[in-house]
Amino acid sequence: MANVLVTGGAGFLGSRLARELLAAGSLDVAGSGAHPLSRLTVLDRSPVPPDLAADGRVAAICGDLGELLGPAHAGRDALAEADVIFHLAAAVSSECEADFDLGMRTNLRATESLLTSCRALGTNPVVVFASSVAVFGASGEHPLPAVVDDHTLPNPQSSYGVQKVIGEQLLADYTRKGFLRGRTVRLMTVSVRPGRPNGAASSFLSGIVREPLAGERAICPVDARTEVALASPARAIDGLLRAATSSDEAWGGRSAVNLPALTVTVGDMVAALEQVAGPEVSALIDWIPDPAVAGIVTSWPARFRGDRAARLGLAPDPDFDSVIKMHLAEAGHA
């Protein structure tokens, strides 16, 4: 039997991951073979979606992660039973720039509390940590290469990126010490996210598609020539699951894996939207520059070579047209 815990499990990616796990009904834990899924614990500050709450295999724990991991709290008990932990809970990029303490508390101290609790419990779970390409950045003394590969060193240019790098290194050291089995994946910007905008600097990369398709206006804060690295929700989930199911030998070490990226310009995204939905839809985008958002987004790399991801059987989306069509199909518009 397999018990799984998902921090941030009520959010978009977390709830989608939970649905994938429940639909599969089993999980191959680090190459040990498929085990029936007996319990899926969702830990989040927000309530879980109704469909998850209605599943008898789901246990929902609502509250702050750091507080819930304290002695005699529900989060600690759930952690003790977990074979696999997906750590997705985080404050996002623009939030962390606007509120330094929020980022440090949510992205750093809560992550450290999670790892410390795993060590104290002595259960040696598989811990999949959702990091980000925001760990990379360009500076005068450390310019980005034209293509980021598995050996490119992080050089974050935001508080969010710094917090993710520290989380990666903490997880790697806890793994080296044998306290747990850590797997870090660096997610690309996920597009198209359903729902409403969040506080991420990259939120517009979903909004300029999602809102116009719903007949609403959207703002694009960057130049059309801006290159970005994207992944559809389905490809992001593939990467998270592969991290949990790969054997130690296949995973290949303690360093983070850059998940596959589709590289497009923002102009390409809008052209794809027009191709799929028509010019009257793409005309709903207002191009209003925001230097603060542009500064964050353009500091991230846009071109990747993911040899480790390819060896794990992961591949990028073929084009952005297919990403939009997937979003339409899942939203019930096709």
Side-chain angles (χ1 to χ4, degrees), residues 259-272:
L259 294 186
L262 169 65
T263 300
V264 292
T265 67
V266 174
D268 292 335
M269 295 173 66
V270 174

Side-chain angles (χ1 to χ4, degrees), residues 171-212:
L171 185 67
D173 202 40
Y174 273 68
T175 300
R176 182 184 67 85
K177 297 291 287 184
F179 302 144
L180 48 77
R181 291 167 286 168
R183 313 284 178 80
T184 293
V185 292
R186 292 175 180 145
L187 297 172
M188 303 296 140
T189 296
V190 177
S191 178
V192 178
R193 287 175 175 263
R196 304 305 303 170
N198 62 17
S202 59
S203 180
F204 75 92
L205 292 170
S206 289
I208 61 173
V209 175
R210 181 184 60 229
E211 272 71 271

Side-chain angles (χ1 to χ4, degrees), residues 102-315:
L102 170 67
M104 294 294 287
R105 182 175 64 252
T106 305
N107 295 344
L108 183 53
R109 296 193 188 99
T111 297
E112 186 175 15
S113 294
L114 176 68
L115 302 183
T116 300
S117 297
C118 288
R119 177 191 177 188
L121 291 166
T123 53
N124 196 34
V126 173
V127 179
V128 178
F129 176 50
S131 187
S132 167
V133 294
V135 303
F136 298 109
S139 60
E141 75 282 4
H142 188 71
L144 269 173
V147 178
V148 168
D149 63 22
D150 295 324
H151 305 290
T152 303
L153 294 175
N155 183 32
Q157 300 300 303
S158 67
S159 294
Y160 174 74
V162 169
Q163 291 149 13
K164 287 296 186 180
V165 167
I166 296 171
E168 291 183 7
Q169 295 303 315
L170 282 174
L171 185 67
D173 202 40
Y174 273 68
T175 300
R176 182 184 67 85
K177 297 291 287 184
F179 302 144
L180 48 77
R181 291 167 286 168
R183 313 284 178 80
T184 293
V185 292
R186 292 175 180 145
L187 297 172
M188 303 296 140
T189 296
V190 177
S191 178
V192 178
R193 287 175 175 263
R196 304 305 303 170
N198 62 17
S202 59
S203 180
F204 75 92
L205 292 170
S206 289
I208 61 173
V209 175
R210 181 184 60 229
E211 272 71 271
L213 285 172
E216 302 174 11
R217 302 205 70 84
I219 293 174
C220 182
V222 304
D223 188 272
R225 294 167 294 182
T226 302
E227 281 194 328
V228 291
L230 305 177
S232 66
R235 300 293 171 130
I237 295 298
D238 286 347
L240 291 166
L241 289 172
R242 193 60 52 89
T245 60
S246 296
S247 66
D248 290 340
E249 181 181 12
W251 186 250
R254 298 189 300 270
S255 58
V257 169
N258 300 322
L259 294 186
L262 169 65
T263 300
V264 292
T265 67
V266 174
D268 292 335
M269 295 173 66
V270 174
L273 177 63
E274 183 168 327
Q275 178 70 28
V276 172
E280 67 280 4
V281 173
S282 61
L284 292 172
I285 299 171
D286 299 315
W287 298 81
I288 302 176
D290 185 327
V293 171
I296 294 173
V297 173
T298 57
S299 75
W300 301 337
R303 295 180 177 270
F304 287 82
R305 175 179 171 176
D307 293 338
R308 283 184 68 192
R311 288 196 295 270
L312 291 166
L314 299 169

